[in-house]
Structure formats: structure tokens, C-alpha cells
Amino acid sequence: MLDKLSSKEDDVNQRIGQKIKAEREKRAWSLTDLAENSGVSRAMIHKIERGESSPTATLLARLAGAFDMSMSQLIALSEVQTGTLVRHDQQAVWQDPETGYIRRHVSPGQIPVDLVSVELPAGVAVPMPAISYLSRRQLIWVLEGTLTFQEGSTLFEMHKGDCLELGDPTDCVFKNATAKPCFYAVVVLKSS
């Protein structure tokens, strides 16, 4: 099962790299342009585009934000699923190589909402830069466990069933300070 997940993640990382390159070229941006717009080094972008490196959640959020997309939109665009039903084993799964954070893109189709399921391992913190929240509205809904969410200087301790609407774009941190995994959903309203 682990080999199957690793293989699927490698495929997703390859497609994400190809999508980043396609989005960059669609805008007629050089590697330098994307580096300046995202704050990610040219060398790292080059490695990601070639599938030689798996981006961390923070890097992927910065790259997606430079394209005025959410991370879930960028991951979803790298998948070729069509139709209105996307079965669990067909959903795009991406794992942050640095933290083990697992992100599953759940929503199918071209509706203006992205639904993402996240598993945040015990004792892990994942920072997300403000650029990943520009031009979009998001909700965080805790499904199981405890999530400590820092939005700028404001700290929220969220428990099962709690739902938070994010405010103005600011640097954020998703943290699981407990000894058990935390599961939550992120709902992203796509910009029109």
C-alpha cells in the first residue's frame, strides 16, 4: 500500500511540476519572473518543474499564489479527472515531504468551490504565506482532533466541528500540538 501511495505521489509531483511550467509559460514568464513573483528560488523552481524535487507545502503555496491560484487549484489542475464523480482512489493526493502533511483534493468538476481534505500529523506545524490567500475566501472545518491555527497575530484553537472563515490575507500557520493526527477540511471559493 505504501509503495502504491508513493508511486501515486510521484506521479502527482511530476504533473504538478509540469503544470507549474505550463502556467509560467502561459504568462510568458521566465524562471526569474516566477522567482520574483513567488519568493521561491529559480533553482528550486527549475527542480520542481523537472520533477527532480517535491515542493513543500509552503513552496507550493507561494508558487500557486504567484499564479493567483490556491494550492488546491494548482493541484487539481494537475489532475486530468473529468466528470462529476471522483472516487476516493482517483482523488489527487499530495504529501508534503518536509512535514508529512497529506492533502487530498476531493471536489470534482469546474464548480467555483474547491474542497480539500487534510491530515496534519501529530506535532507538526505548516506555515502558509499570505500570497496563498490573495483573491480568495476560505473556510477551515475541523473533522477530528485539535488544530491550532495562527492567522497573523491571532491564535485560534479549534476542535472537532469548529469552522473558521479566514480573514484578510496574512501569513498563517496550521499546527497540531497534540499526540494524535488532526483531520480538517478546507473549502476554497475560487475567484471569478
Side-chain angles (χ1 to χ4, degrees), residues 73-172:
Q73 284 175 285
L74 184 60
I75 292 172
L77 287 173
S78 68
E79 290 298 297
V80 291
Q81 301 296 325
T82 58
T84 57
L85 174 63
V86 179
R87 300 210 182 269
H88 186 265
D89 64 343
Q90 297 171 323
Q91 295 166 355
V93 177
W94 177 81
Q95 184 168 16
D96 182 356
E98 188 173 84
T99 63
Y101 155 97
I102 298 172
R103 185 177 183 89
R104 175 181 294 275
H105 191 269
V106 178
S107 53
Q110 298 297 317
I111 64 172
V113 172
D114 281 324
L115 179 59
V116 177
S117 169
V118 177
E119 178 181 343
L120 189 61
V124 166
V126 178
M128 289 289 170
I131 192 173
S132 61
Y133 301 104
L134 297 175
S135 304
R136 63 192 55 85
R137 297 181 66 188
Q138 297 188 37
L139 299 173
I140 301 168
W141 179 27
V142 177
L143 304 172
E144 187 177 320
T146 301
L147 175 67
T148 302
F149 181 73
Q150 183 173 350
E151 184 178 33
S153 60
T154 306
L155 197 63
F156 299 93
E157 184 169 304
M158 300 172 62
H159 303 278
K160 183 178 180 177
D162 292 348
C163 188
L164 173 69
E165 178 181 2
L166 274 60
D168 292 333
T170 187
D171 291 342
C172 297

Side-chain angles (χ1 to χ4, degrees), residues 19-20 23-24 26-27 29 33-34 36-39 59-75 77 112 114 129-138 169 188-192:
K19 187 59 187 170
I20 289 169
E23 288 295 321
R24 178 176 61 78
K26 182 169 89 175
R27 289 163 175 77
W29 287 358
D33 293 332
L34 180 54
E36 289 173 357
N37 286 314
S38 67
L59 290 180
L60 195 55
R62 287 184 181 283
L63 293 168
F67 297 137
D68 195 28
M69 294 180 186
S70 69
M71 193 162 81
S72 58
Q73 284 175 285
L74 184 60
I75 292 172
L77 287 173
D114 281 324
I131 192 173
S132 61
Y133 301 104
L134 297 175
S135 304
R136 63 192 55 85
R137 297 181 66 188
Q138 297 188 37
V188 181
L189 180 61
K190 299 177 192 174
S191 55
S192 43

